[in-house]
């Protein structure tokens, strides 16, 4: 009964709606850790007709002889899944229940032959089940090794006292570093952060060895991910039986898998050599020559000679894939050996506290661990009796060392993020309250959307900034990414719900894989106000800009400027300068950098990278210098002889801007606005007015708000054009300004507590009675129990609590309490029964 229950628990259902066969499931089938089950809905599509034995496809028959039992089980599971998927996908596909039952019961590829119909044979030929199964096993083994390789490299860096500067690589968002390389470097820096050994004196020269880790481990990640994507497709895509697949042999699928698997093998080869080099580097710090020989004497670079050639020399896909799998297993052994060496070195280090362990005994057991190929390290004969350090004990040993070293490791948060302490939270809550009140004053309603969206929703909306989108790991379902802003999700919401008009606000976090700097974060809040729908010209544009001025005025952050331009005017300017229309967006992306770079730097990018001529770039430079008061610049651009008046798009833009500027003038909001032709806003979805608010005070935080009109974004999702305009406040930068200002004024108060009930003793019952009366009266109060009056007063001063209720032994005997005005340092004794009423009077006056 127990084994039956275990088998039931390990059943993997195939063919159900939404189900998918994963590489991990294939691996479990191969080891007999799971059994297949056929979903009842898939059973309905299977044929019950009598079998008509077919000739086994030639490539499948050839592969059978080379398969080990585990590989045969994996291939049988792949073929079984393909037959069930194809039968469910096509009503005309003839897949017999008998074949499916034989495969499911035996999980033996040979036992399922001969296949019972021509369609079954076609599926077997087209899907290359043996190659796909082997690739799935490679994928299942490689994916965890990608993370283990990073962890072991970090452990060796610690053991060798290497310098963490080896992992200082540029952020990938700058285009100066591959994403995977940057991610590996960041992950390893997190692992070694706070270690007393990394970078410590006495370490061996290791810069060159560890500097290779981000690039090589990053390439390994990339190769693993590429193979994983193809394997998942080949495992779960049904075969479309028809003319195209009539002669399909699966050879193309095999070749594609071989290409990706051999790329993976080359990365594994490089990582194996690097692992050996790191282990030897760690061992150099061991003074005991005999122990050093025991740790490193059994492994040599010679173990790798010819290994990759043996994998690649075979023309047979099955042999190549089996070779790559064995190559991975060898690499796993190297990593385990390197980890054991590094741990032995760390345990032998007398500069850190750790549980006592016999390092020599551990070293002897490490030398006894069998390596791929059956060789054993040369150790002392007596050491053969010691326990082998297998994978489970290796994991336990890593856990033990990590736990013993926790005292010297400090946790950290990822780059580009921040914690908000009590003072910062007080500022943030006050800012959000102001912002929400302004939005509601204009009739906006609140909206919330998921923190992640389908990747297809976000892609193609942000131009060159699309590289900053955070992609989530593929978990075998939908491909998703963290939202980059709140505008695209809003447009998706409007389109998905067929909304024709909406005025909404949203305050939520967004995520960008940017290079962090002062005032620039990877996780930050945006506060968005948008109006969607058809209105009179410039009607919603005026209100959105008016909302922006009200926000910045009420937040009282100091002097600011709102730069404004029009996308059609910008396009007209580029057309006048001779820029081809297909380069408008990419040129705009360069112009958008003028607030951070000189024109000479931008010009170099335009000429060298964007293919713009020097003459055209110089003409752009002359025009983007135009800026000033809106109505004055408008008159300048519309005067007789202006090049803009001969451009249809520019004329339309100037007419719209005239309406907008006159409305803003009447609303007393135009004084903060500057008409600036250098403002480009690099996002692709803008179609009309664009604007950006910049703080003009001492704190250099850059743009604090931005927005514009985007008439086509909703239509990208629904096909129905719903014009929209909005603004987004970059609240993190506003926080930074408010925080600095309140620090200078010494006005940061983290709590709103009005009264501190101070019991001069340890009588919790009395404190509970008094403070509850205050809470019931709606007074914000805290209580504190301590015999020292000074501690009560100190706490009240630190927390800026204006009033105290002091109760000691004498007050208890008299039935009174003392009310203390903390700032004035004055006390007054009142009857116990009247203290709430008296406090209310005093609080109402303050």
């Amino acid at each position: 009964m127990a084994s039956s229950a275990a088998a039931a628990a390990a059943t993997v259902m195939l063919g159900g709606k939404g189900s998918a066969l994963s590489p991990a499931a294939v691996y479990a089938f191969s080891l007999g850790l799971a059994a297949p089950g056929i979903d009842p809905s898939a059973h309905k599509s299977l044929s019950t007709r009598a079998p008509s034995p077919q000739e086994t496809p030639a490539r499948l028959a050839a592969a059978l002889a080379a398969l080990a039992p585990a590989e045969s089980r994996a291939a049988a599971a792949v073929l079984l899944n393909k037959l069930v998927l194809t039968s469910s996908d096509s009503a005309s596909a003839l897949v017999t229940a008998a074949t499916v039952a034989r495969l499911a019961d035996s999980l033996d590829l040979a036992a399922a032959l001969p296949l019972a119909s021509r369609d079954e044979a076609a599926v077997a030929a087209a899907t290359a089940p043996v190659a796909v199964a082997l690739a799935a096993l490679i994928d299942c083994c490689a994916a965890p090794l990608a993370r283990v390789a990073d962890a072991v490299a970090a452990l060796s860096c610690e053991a060798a006292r290497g310098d963490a500067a080896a992992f200082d690589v540029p952020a990938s968002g700058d285009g100066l570093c591959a994403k995977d390389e940057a991610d590996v470097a960041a992950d390893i820096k997190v692992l070694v952060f706070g270690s007393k050994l990394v970078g410590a004196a006495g370490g061996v020269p290791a810069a060159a060895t560890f500097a290779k880790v981000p690039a090589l481990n990053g390439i390994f990640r990339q190769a693993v991910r590429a193979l994983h994507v193809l394997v998942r497709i080949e495992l779960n895509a049904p075969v479309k039986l028809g003319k195209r697949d009539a002669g399909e042999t699966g050879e193309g699928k095999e070749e594609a898998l071989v290409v990706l698997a051999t790329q993976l093998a080359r990365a594994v080869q490089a990582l194996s050599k690097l692992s050996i080099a790191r282990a030897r580097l760690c061992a150099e710090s061991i003074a005991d020559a005999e122990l050093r020989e025991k740790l490193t004497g059994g492994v040599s670079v010679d173990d790798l000679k010819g290994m990759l050639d043996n994998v690649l020399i075979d023309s047979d896909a099955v042999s190549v894939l089996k070779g790559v799998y064995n190559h991975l297993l060898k690499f796993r052994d190297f990593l385990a050996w390197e980890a054991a060496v590094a741990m032995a070195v760390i345990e032998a280090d007398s500069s850190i506290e750790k549980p006592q362990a016999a390092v020599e005994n551990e070293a002897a057991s490490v030398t006894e661990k069998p390596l791929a190929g059956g060789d054993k390290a040369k150790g002392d004969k007596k050491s053969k009796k010691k326990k082998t350090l297998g994978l489970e004990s290796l994991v336990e040993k890593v856990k033990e060392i990590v736990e013993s070293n926790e005292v010297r490791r400090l946790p950290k948060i990822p780059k580009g993020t921040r914690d908000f302490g009590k003072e910062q939270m007080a500022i943030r809550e006050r800012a959000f309250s102001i912002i929400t009140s302004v939005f509601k004053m204009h009739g906006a309603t609140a909206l919330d959307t998921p923190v992640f969206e389908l990747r297809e929703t976000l892609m193609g909306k942000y131009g060159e900034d699309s590289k900053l989108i955070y992609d989530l790991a593929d978990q075998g379902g939908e491909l998703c990414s963290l939202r980059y802003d709140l505008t695209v999700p809003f447009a998706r919401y409007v389109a998905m719900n067929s909304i024709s008009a909406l005025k909404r606000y949203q305050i939520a976090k967004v995520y960008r894989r940017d290079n962090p700097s002062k005032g620039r974060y990877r996780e930050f809040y945006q506060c968005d106000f948008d109006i969607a729908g058809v209105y009179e010209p410039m009607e919603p544009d005026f209100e959105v800009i008016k909302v922006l001025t009200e926000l910045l005025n009420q937040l009282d952050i100091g002097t600011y400027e709102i730069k404004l331009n029009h996308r059609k005017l910008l396009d007209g300017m580029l057309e006048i300068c001779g820029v081809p229309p297909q380069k408008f967006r990419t040129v705009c992306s360069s112009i958008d950098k003028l607030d951070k770079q000189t024109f000479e730097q931008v010009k170099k990018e335009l000429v060298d990278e964007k293919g713009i001529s020097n003459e055209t770039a110089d003409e752009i430079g002359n025009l983007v210098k135009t800026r000033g008061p809106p109505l004055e610049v408008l008159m300048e651009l519309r005067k007789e002889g202006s090049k803009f008046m001969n451009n249809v798009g520019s004329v339309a833009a100037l007419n719209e801007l005239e309406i907008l500027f006159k409305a803003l003038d009447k609303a007393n909001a135009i004084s903060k606005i500057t008409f600036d032709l250098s403002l480009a806003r690099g996002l692709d979805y803008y179609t009309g007015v664009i604007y950006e608010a910049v703080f003009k005070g001492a704190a250099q935080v850059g743009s604090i708000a931005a927005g514009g009109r985007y008439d086509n974004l909703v239509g990208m999702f629904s096909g129905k054009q719903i014009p929209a305009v909005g603004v987004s406040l970059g609240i993190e930068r506003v926080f930074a300004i408010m925080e600095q200002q309140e620090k200078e004024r010494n006005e940061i108060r983290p709590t709103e507590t009005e009264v501190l009930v101070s019991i001069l003793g340890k009588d919790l019952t009395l404190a509970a009675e008094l403070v509850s009366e205050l809470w019931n009266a709606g007074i914000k109060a805290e209580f504190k129990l301590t015999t020292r009056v000074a501690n009560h007063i100190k706490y009240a001063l630190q927390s800026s609590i204006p009033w105290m209720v002091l109760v000691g032994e004498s007050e208890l005997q008299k039935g009174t309490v003392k009310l203390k005005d903390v700032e004035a340092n004055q006390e007054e004794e009142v009857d116990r029964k009247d203290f709430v009423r008296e406090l209310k009077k005093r609080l109402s006056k303050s």
Side-chain angles (χ1 to χ4, degrees), residues 73-94:
R73 286 192 292 272
V78 171
L79 179 57
L80 174 61
N81 189 54
K82 285 289 190 175
L83 289 172
V84 172
L85 287 174
T86 303
S87 174
S88 300
D89 182 68
S90 174
S92 61
L94 181 58

Side-chain angles (χ1 to χ4, degrees), residues 159-438:
R161 299 186 176 225
D163 191 346
F167 309 115
D168 288 338
V169 300
S172 57
D174 295 340
L176 303 176
C177 177
K179 179 180 181 297
D180 290 301
E181 180 180 352
D183 290 347
V184 167
D187 289 348
I188 294 180
K189 289 181 78 172
V190 168
L191 290 171
V192 301
F193 178 77
S195 170
K196 292 180 181 178
L197 293 182
V198 172
V204 294
T209 301
F210 289 105
K212 296 178 183 178
V213 172
L216 293 182
N217 286 30
I219 288 295
F220 182 52
R221 281 193 188 187
Q222 187 177 327
V224 170
R225 187 168 57 251
L227 180 65
H228 175 72
V229 170
L230 183 57
V231 166
R232 289 200 66 88
I233 292 171
E234 296 301 340
L235 284 176
N236 296 292
V239 177
K240 301 294 184 182
L241 296 174
K243 291 182 179 179
R244 178 186 175 279
D245 296 310
E248 176 67 54
T249 64
E251 189 172 358
K253 299 181 190 302
E254 290 181 352
E255 290 181 358
L257 291 168
V258 165
V259 168
L260 295 179
T262 51
Q263 288 176 352
L264 181 67
R266 291 187 183 279
V268 167
Q269 180 82 352
L271 290 184
S272 297
K273 291 181 178 178
L274 192 57
S275 177
I276 292 173
R278 289 195 303 260
R280 293 189 175 282
L281 193 66
C282 292
E284 287 179 15
S285 63
I286 298 176
D288 188 329
E290 183 180 355
L291 175 58
R292 187 168 61 248
E293 175 61 24
K294 285 182 179 180
L295 284 170
T296 62
V299 180
S300 168
V301 181
D302 293 340
D303 292 337
L304 297 170
K305 287 183 179 178
M307 184 184 291
L308 187 60
D309 291 338
N310 291 336
V311 169
L312 302 182
I313 199 170
D314 286 302
S315 58
D316 175 29
V318 172
S319 298
V320 172
L321 292 170
K322 290 183 69 171
V324 172
Y325 184 58
N326 291 330
H327 206 45
L328 269 174
L329 298 181
K330 182 75 172 180
F331 174 47
R332 183 182 65 183
D333 287 342
F334 284 138
L335 285 178
W337 168 70
E338 180 192 353
V341 172
M343 289 189 294
V345 171
I346 291 173
E347 289 222 336
D349 194 321
S350 59
S351 66
I352 57 176
E353 294 183 5
K354 63 188 78 66
Q356 293 300 313
V359 177
E360 292 83 357
N361 291 348
E362 178 190 315
S365 69
V366 169
T367 61
E368 277 302 296
K369 184 185 184 302
L371 298 172
D375 293 336
K376 293 186 179 180
K378 298 176 181 178
D380 193 316
K381 291 182 179 180
K382 293 182 181 179
S383 69
K384 293 183 180 180
K385 296 179 182 179
K386 300 188 181 297
K387 183 180 178 182
T388 300
L389 188 63
L391 186 58
E392 289 185 7
S393 56
L394 174 63
V395 171
E396 288 301 315
K397 202 67 182 174
V398 171
K399 182 180 178 183
E400 179 185 328
I401 287 182
V402 169
E403 288 175 350
S404 68
N405 291 345
E406 279 180 349
V407 292
R408 59 188 173 84
R409 292 186 186 277
L410 296 174
K412 63 171 291 188
I413 57 175
K415 290 191 300 182
T417 62
R418 64 178 295 196
D419 290 322
F420 284 85
K422 56 185 181 181
E423 291 85 3
Q424 291 79 20
M425 283 300 297
I427 296 170
R428 191 172 88 177
E429 288 176 351
R430 184 166 66 84
F432 281 167
S433 176
I434 293 170
I435 293 164
T436 302
S437 67
V438 171

